[in-house]
């Protein structure tokens, strides 16, 4: 009998699979998953045919909103979201880095008008090779995604 790791299936919730190794902890922090009371199963550096190593996050009794999915796409654009009901996958989709992100992150430029005026932050997103940059609509400065997301 081969040795095999077993992870408990969830009845209802979301499984985020194919997260590049090392990005899982950033997602847990960014989406404030550790602060809640929901049951979470996390796997780091699991074997993956496509990625070599991957992270995996299972969150019971929670479905992700569209803004949360955008945040996730910044850190794990290759991730797959599986929606689970009664232990079965009822929906499955790949993450895609959006062209723009509104109202999620504050502009890191302390002189940006978006920090003092009653407007929603707005960034256009540009991907170059492996880097992702966000350009603020108001101050027109570009920042690396890690600077904007604060990770």
């Amino acid at each position: 009998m081969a040795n095999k790791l077993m992870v408990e299936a969830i009845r209802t919730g979301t499984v985020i699979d194919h997260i590049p190794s090392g990005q899982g902890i950033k997602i847990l922090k960014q989406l404030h998953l550790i602060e809640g009371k929901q049951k979470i199963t996390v796997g780091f550096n699991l074997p993956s045919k496509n990625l070599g190593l991957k992270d995996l996050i299972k969150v019971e009794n929670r479905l992700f909103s569209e803004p949360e999915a955008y945040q996730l796409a910044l850190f794990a654009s290759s991730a797959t979201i599986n929606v689970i009901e009664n232990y079965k996958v009822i929906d499955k989709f790949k993450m895609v880095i959006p062209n723009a992100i509104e109202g999620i992150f504050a502009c890191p430029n302390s002189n940006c008008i978006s920090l003092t005026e009653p407007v929603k932050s707005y960034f256009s997103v540009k991907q170059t090779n492996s880097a992702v940059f966000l350009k603020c609509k108001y101050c027109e400065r570009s920042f690396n995604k890690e600077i904007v997301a604060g990770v």
Side-chain angles (χ1 to χ4, degrees):
M1 182 174 186
N3 291 331
K4 189 173 185 178
L5 295 174
M6 299 295 289
V7 178
E8 183 178 333
I10 59 174
R11 181 182 191 132
T12 301
T14 304
V15 176
I16 308 169
D17 197 5
H18 304 109
I19 302 168
S21 178
Q23 298 299 306
I25 193 75
K26 292 178 182 178
I27 291 168
L28 288 170
K29 180 182 173 190
Q30 192 65 37
L31 298 180
H32 307 286
L33 293 173
I34 298 172
E35 299 162 9
K37 298 283 184 190
Q38 67 263 25
K39 184 178 174 183
I40 300 172
T41 304
V42 180
F44 295 126
N45 298 321
L46 302 173
S48 169
K49 290 179 186 173
N50 296 332
L51 300 173
L53 295 173
K54 69 177 181 179
D55 295 345
L56 176 114
I57 300 172
K58 291 184 173 189
V59 185
E60 195 159 322
N61 297 321
R62 181 164 173 195
L63 302 177
F64 290 90
S65 67
E66 190 173 320
E68 288 173 322
Y70 286 157
Q71 291 179 56
L72 174 60
L74 286 180
F75 300 100
S77 61
S78 62
T80 304
I81 303 290
N82 298 288
V83 179
I84 310 295
E85 271 188 25
N86 290 325
Y87 301 102
K88 293 182 180 175
V89 177
I90 61 163
D91 194 14
K92 185 175 192 171
F93 54 94
K94 285 234 170 243
M95 296 307 307
V96 177
I97 294 177
N99 294 326
I101 298 175
E102 183 176 11
I104 296 173
F105 302 110
C107 182
N109 177 6
S110 60
N111 294 322
C112 181
I113 193 169
S114 67
L115 299 176
T116 56
E117 296 295 323
V119 294
K120 285 185 176 181
S121 66
Y122 186 93
F123 294 94
S124 57
V125 180
K126 184 176 182 181
Q127 188 171 10
T128 59
N129 297 327
S130 61
V132 176
F133 294 92
L134 286 79
K135 183 176 182 181
C136 177
K137 171 183 172 183
Y138 302 103
C139 69
E140 298 184 346
R141 290 186 59 185
S142 291
F143 305 92
N144 188 303
K145 70 177 181 183
E146 284 81 10
I147 292 171
V148 174
V151 291

